[in-house]
Each structure stands twice: as structure tokens, then as C-alpha cells.
Amino acid sequence: MSKKRGLSLEEKREQMLQIFYDSQDFYLLKELEKMGPKKGVISQSVKDVVQTLVDDDLVLRDKIGTSVYFWSLPSCAGNQLRTTYSKLESDLSNSKKRYMELVEQRDDLKRGREDSDEREDALEELKAVESRHKKLKEELAAYADSDPSALEAMKDATEVAHSAANRWTENIFNLQQWCSTTFPQAKEQLEHMYREAGITEDFDYVP
């Protein structure tokens, strides 16, 4: 009979967080060390696991008198995710700006010149940030019910994103117009470049 596999660090973190979420109470470390084994986390590991949660701002810690108490609410995770979300929003905007700058530089080069390594790196970076951005939005949505302020914050973020998307769309249309006017003899090459960049015939403003 095979030996049962122990929990990974991430699974241990999830189990310890669930203790806080289920009770929404305050605990001493020794209390958590007694409760941990019921969740599959051995008592000797509880201190280190809880410390990683404190480091990530998912669990709060405070000293009252001579005792140190730990606690966490679903909204704590939501706040931490919103901080990361804001950073990724900034990273995404910077990546798109960098990408457009590189596209403009490429259009200024002689026809037939191969793509630069810098542009390829920028495209890969943009794809990675967009993927992380999408995943974070999905995770953030899971905490909306436990944090009333999240709905208003997400509403504001949606309006900002909507405006930014249409602003970038306008920039792309302007860039296409400039390319067509400046390089009329390169129409076929330009259309091929647009397709490579994901700008297809159905590309339009967000309603």
C-alpha cells in the first residue's frame, strides 16, 4: 500500500486560512498548532506556514499584552489581491505602451528588415502580463461577496479600463492611418504585420 502524500506548502496555507475564514476569530499560535493537524498540517509546521501567510498580508498579527494573536478575514485576501491587481494594471499599461513604441519604430525601418529581439521580448512580456492580469481578475472576483467596497472599486476599475481600451484602439487606428499614408507601397506587408499583432478586421472600439 502506497504512503499517503503530504500536503504541499500551498495546500497547507489554504487549510490554515480556512481555519480563520470559518471562524473569523482570533487565535494564539499554540491554539493554531492544536487545530492544524485536524486540517492535515502537522503542529511542527503550523508556525512556518502561518508566518508565510503573515508575510503575504493574508493573516494579520498583533501583540496584546504578552500574547500574540493572529486573525484573518476574507477581505484581507481581497485587499492583498487588489494591491497586486493595481500593480499588474500598471505593468500591463506600460507593456502596451512599450509595444506600441516598438511597432512605431519598426514602421520607420526599411521594408523587409527582420523583427528585432527586443520586439519579440516585449511581445512575450505583454502576453505574460495579460495572462497574469486575467487570472488575478478571476481570483479577485471570488472575494467580492465578502468585501462590499470591492464592487465599487471594480466598477471604477472597469470604467478606467474601458476608457483605456478605447484610447489604445484610437491610437492603433491613428498608427494604421499614418502607416498607410507614409508607406502606401507596403500595403501587403503592413496588413501582414497587423495580423501578426492580432489586429484583425473585427478589431474595433469597446461599446
Side-chain angles (χ1 to χ4, degrees):
M1 183 175 181
S2 61
K3 185 177 180 180
K4 184 178 180 181
R5 181 183 69 85
L7 299 179
S8 66
L9 175 59
E10 191 57 38
E11 289 171 333
K12 291 177 182 178
R13 283 161 53 94
E14 291 175 359
Q15 292 300 319
M16 293 307 299
L17 267 179
Q18 199 59 50
I19 292 176
F20 292 107
Y21 291 170
D22 288 344
S23 66
Q24 298 189 19
D25 204 350
F26 298 81
Y27 295 100
L28 295 169
L29 180 60
K30 63 182 180 180
E31 294 174 326
L32 293 171
E33 289 175 339
K34 292 180 180 180
M35 300 173 71
K38 298 178 181 179
K39 291 288 188 177
V41 183
I42 61 175
S43 58
Q44 294 89 335
S45 299
V46 169
K47 181 178 180 180
D48 291 336
V49 174
V50 172
Q51 184 59 50
T52 68
L53 295 173
V54 171
D55 293 340
D56 289 343
D57 296 325
L58 294 175
V59 169
L60 302 178
R61 175 180 58 190
D62 199 6
K63 187 174 183 181
I64 303 176
T66 58
S67 301
V68 177
Y69 288 88
F70 299 85
W71 75 95
S72 179
L73 301 173
S75 58
C76 294
N79 291 334
Q80 194 267 351
L81 282 173
R82 274 191 294 279
T83 299
T84 306
Y85 177 84
S86 297
K87 182 180 183 302
L88 282 178
E89 281 276 292
S90 177
D91 290 346
L92 181 60
S93 177
N94 291 336
S95 295
K96 286 184 176 179
K97 180 179 179 181
R98 181 184 176 192
Y99 170 71
M100 293 305 300
E101 289 173 348
L102 289 173
V103 169
E104 186 173 354
Q105 291 176 13
R106 171 179 170 152
D107 290 340
D108 291 337
L109 298 176
K110 293 181 179 180
R111 185 175 59 184
R113 181 169 178 172
E114 296 181 355
D115 293 340
S116 66
D117 292 338
E118 184 181 11
R119 178 178 181 275
E120 293 300 323
D121 290 343
L123 285 172
E124 290 301 319
E125 180 182 343
L126 177 60
K127 291 179 181 178
V129 172
E130 286 180 330
S131 176
R132 291 174 57 204
H133 182 262
K134 179 180 178 181
K135 182 177 179 181
L136 184 62
K137 286 197 337 187
E138 294 173 352
E139 293 180 4
L140 185 59
Y143 293 93
D145 292 339
S146 60
D147 187 356
S149 64
L151 182 60
E152 187 64 27
M154 291 181 70
K155 180 180 178 181
D156 292 341
T158 299
E159 292 176 356
V160 172
H162 181 274
S163 176
N166 283 332
R167 184 169 62 254
W168 278 108
T169 300
E170 178 71 19
N171 290 340
I172 291 173
F173 284 152
N174 289 337
L175 179 61
Q176 285 181 303
Q177 181 64 37
W178 181 85
C179 290
S180 299
T181 303
T182 307
F183 306 104
Q185 73 280 9
K187 179 179 179 181
E188 183 177 342
Q189 288 81 0
L190 288 172
E191 289 179 351
H192 178 69
M193 184 193 70
Y194 297 151
R195 288 193 297 271
E196 284 187 336
I199 306 174
T200 59
E201 293 180 356
D202 58 353
F203 181 80
D204 204 348
Y205 295 99
V206 178

